[in-house]
Amino acid sequence: MQSLLAAIVVVPLLGAVAALLPAPPGLKGKSPDQAVLRHGVTVSGVILALSIALAAGFDHDHPARMQATTDVGWIPALGIRLHLGVDGVSLPLLVLTALLTFLCALYSYAHMPAGPSPKAFVALLLVLESGTLATFAVLDLVLFFLAFEMVLIPMYFLIARWGGGQKERAAWKFILYTLLGSVVMLLGLLLIGVKGGTFDMVALATDNGSKLSHTTQLLAVLAIGVGLAVKAPMWPLHSWLPDAHTAAPTAGSVLLAGVLLKMGTYGFVRIVLPVAPDGARAFAPYLAAFAVVGIVYGSLACLALARTGAGGDLKRLIAYSSVGHMGFVLLGIATLTPTGVNGALFANIAHGLITGLLFFLVGAVKDRYGTSDLDQLAGQGGAALYGRAPRLGGLLAFGAVASLGLPGLAGFWGEMLALFGAFRPADGLSRPAFLTFMAIAAVGTLLTAAYMLVVVRRVCMG
């Protein structure tokens, strides 16, 4: 198990280096470009197989215990260790990352986006996978920060080199927002490490903030929370997201929505709640308030994009829908209850699967029709997918109703548990305030249903 987890983190990096080397004579296939794309599918497929093996060997009777742990010294003078491990919080995210990266590599093999050499594309995709997997596997604050930052550069180049539209502007906006947030987050992580006497996340969680004063916890949660909120993305720090999604290639959009957004909410659950509980409790009402504003704001933005004559882009609409859906995740975390946090973790996985499906489908529609503009798709002679591509239309409708939270599909359960958590928040939090947040979020579910049904009606029926 230890070797499996270490291999899951390291093998994508080795695969990225190998992608830049010349292909062996017997493996070139029809062309070197095809060989390197096949290499990306193979390496990501191996990682998916290893992650499934890790999940199969996981002791599901003790999900709260760290398993497959590796703990060796790295920089003894600073107390920084190479500490890896998974539990019931991080394991589903590891498998989700491996699955979506494999599907992106497979999609790119069939539909390579226009741009520079496929070698660089595959190498960046694998570096991105390694950084994301490391973020969910490391148990040291400094390593967490390094892994958190490792994903920014490959995603920047994927948007700037293989994107469309205003790709360079979108890439710069993405990197500036996330880097500025990360600088603030680093200060908070260092404050916890210095005051707590260790950077080990397990030891800090076990102490449960006993070595950190109330003021230290407030400052740390504020600093770390800002960095995580940018990545989450929490309103009003979300404005980089729609541009990045609209400009990114299909594989970039899938990984950005399906995996990278989860790094922010994972940080709240893994670091903020257990390490600084007093600070988390103090800021929980504000986090919940921003979350419900994001839910309503994202839904209203989607309704505006979906209306006839607005010139809305389908990729941009799904990007704004992510702001609303991640608002439910943040609301669940803000309740500080087992019900709410479990709902947030479930909604994380559900959002990654559903939004990944939707971005793949939008990419397929754009490949066939040359546009993702809603007015062009729904206009005279537009897509009308039920008549022209019924299987594609059926899948799009299925993804849409899953996204709007139809009971029985994945999108429903996490949002419902988040609302249950807000109905009865943790002791010390204002129940009237959280009941208000719950009511506003419930209105957001109705708005979500409205814009998703408008999209299905226009794109699938014409």
Side-chain angles (χ1 to χ4, degrees):
M1 292 285 281
Q2 292 174 325
S3 304
L4 269 180
L5 185 58
I8 286 170
V9 175
V10 173
V11 168
L13 276 181
L14 300 177
V17 174
L20 299 174
L21 301 174
L27 298 177
K28 284 186 177 179
K30 294 179 182 177
S31 70
D33 288 352
Q34 187 193 51
V36 75
L37 290 170
R38 192 167 58 238
H39 169 80
V41 173
T42 303
V43 174
S44 58
V46 168
I47 298 303
L48 176 60
L50 291 176
S51 66
I52 292 172
L54 182 69
F58 186 81
D59 183 1
H60 295 278
D61 292 329
H62 301 90
R65 179 169 56 84
M66 282 296 168
Q67 302 179 36
T69 54
T70 300
D71 189 6
V72 296
W74 182 34
I75 308 177
L78 299 177
I80 300 171
R81 304 182 66 79
L82 291 171
H83 193 182
L84 304 176
V86 291
D87 62 0
V89 175
S90 54
L91 181 65
L93 292 166
L94 276 173
V95 178
L96 176 70
T97 302
L99 172 64
L100 290 182
T101 307
F102 172 69
L103 293 175
C104 286
L106 205 60
Y107 183 92
S108 301
Y109 180 75
H111 304 280
M112 176 64 200
S117 162
K119 280 190 171 187
F121 180 86
V122 170
L124 289 169
L125 199 66
L126 293 174
V127 171
L128 181 66
E129 180 181 28
S130 180
T132 311
L133 291 168
T135 302
F136 299 136
V138 298
L139 298 172
D140 183 278
L141 291 178
V142 176
L143 283 182
F144 175 83
F145 177 77
L146 294 176
F148 199 86
E149 296 306 289
M150 182 177 166
V151 303
L152 301 185
I153 302 304
M155 182 54 74
Y156 167 82
F157 282 110
L158 285 174
I159 297 171
R161 295 291 178 265
W162 287 271
Q166 297 181 319
K167 56 186 181 182
E168 292 190 2
R169 177 178 176 273
W172 274 111
K173 199 170 182 180
F174 163 76
I175 200 80
L176 287 175
Y177 265 77
T178 49
L179 275 179
L180 287 172
S182 298
V183 169
V184 181
M185 184 177 76
L186 176 60
L187 297 176
L189 295 175
L190 292 175
L191 178 63
I192 285 178
V194 171
K195 295 293 186 180
T198 179
F199 289 104
D200 187 274
M201 290 154 68
V202 176
L204 288 166
T206 304
D207 290 339
N208 205 221
S210 60
K211 295 181 180 178
L212 304 175
S213 68
H214 184 70
T215 304
T216 299
Q217 291 193 34
L218 289 177
L219 291 173
V221 170
L222 182 61
I224 296 170
V226 167
L228 297 174
V230 171
K231 190 66 74 72
M234 183 184 78
W235 181 91
L237 304 174
H238 69 283
S239 59
W240 60 272
L241 181 72
D243 291 338
H245 270 309
T246 306
T250 298
S253 293
V254 170
L255 291 176
L256 189 57
V259 178
L260 265 65
L261 303 189
K262 312 302 177 284
M263 292 164 58
T265 50
Y266 171 77
F268 277 107
V269 177
R270 174 63 72 211
I271 299 173
V272 173
L273 299 191
V275 174
D278 292 346
R281 191 175 302 277
F283 284 106
Y286 303 101
L287 178 63
F290 284 125
V292 296
V293 171
I295 291 169
V296 175
Y297 169 83
S299 300
L300 291 176
C302 289
L303 274 173
L305 289 169
R307 74 177 193 274
T308 305
D313 186 278
L314 192 51
K315 284 185 76 175
R316 194 174 188 86
L317 184 145
I318 297 171
Y320 270 112
S321 77
S322 293
V323 176
H325 290 308
M326 296 307 288
F328 280 100
V329 178
L330 293 170
L331 175 62
I333 293 170
T335 65
L336 306 182
T337 61
T339 302
V341 174
N342 275 293
L345 296 172
F346 195 101
N348 253 348
I349 304 299
H351 177 263
L353 293 171
I354 294 167
T355 309
L357 171 64
L358 288 172
F359 274 118
F360 275 131
L361 293 171
V362 173
V365 171
K366 194 171 183 179
D367 287 340
R368 286 160 175 75
Y369 294 95
T371 182
S372 55
D373 183 274
L374 271 169
D375 287 335
Q376 292 185 44
L377 290 175
Q380 195 71 26
L385 291 179
Y386 285 161
R388 297 188 172 200
R391 287 187 290 271
L392 188 58
L395 278 172
L396 184 63
F398 175 74
V401 295
S403 183
L404 64 82
L406 186 73
L409 298 181
F412 171 76
W413 306 105
E415 294 180 3
M416 181 56 66
L417 286 172
L419 293 176
F420 275 143
F423 180 74
R424 198 174 297 281
D427 294 338
L429 298 178
S430 169
R431 194 177 181 212
F434 273 83
L435 286 174
T436 304
F437 298 147
M438 183 193 74
I440 296 171
V443 172
T445 62
L446 300 177
L447 296 173
T448 303
Y451 72 75
M452 277 300 180
L453 292 175
V454 169
V455 168
V456 170
R457 178 175 60 83
R458 298 190 67 201
V459 177
C460 295
M461 301 178 187

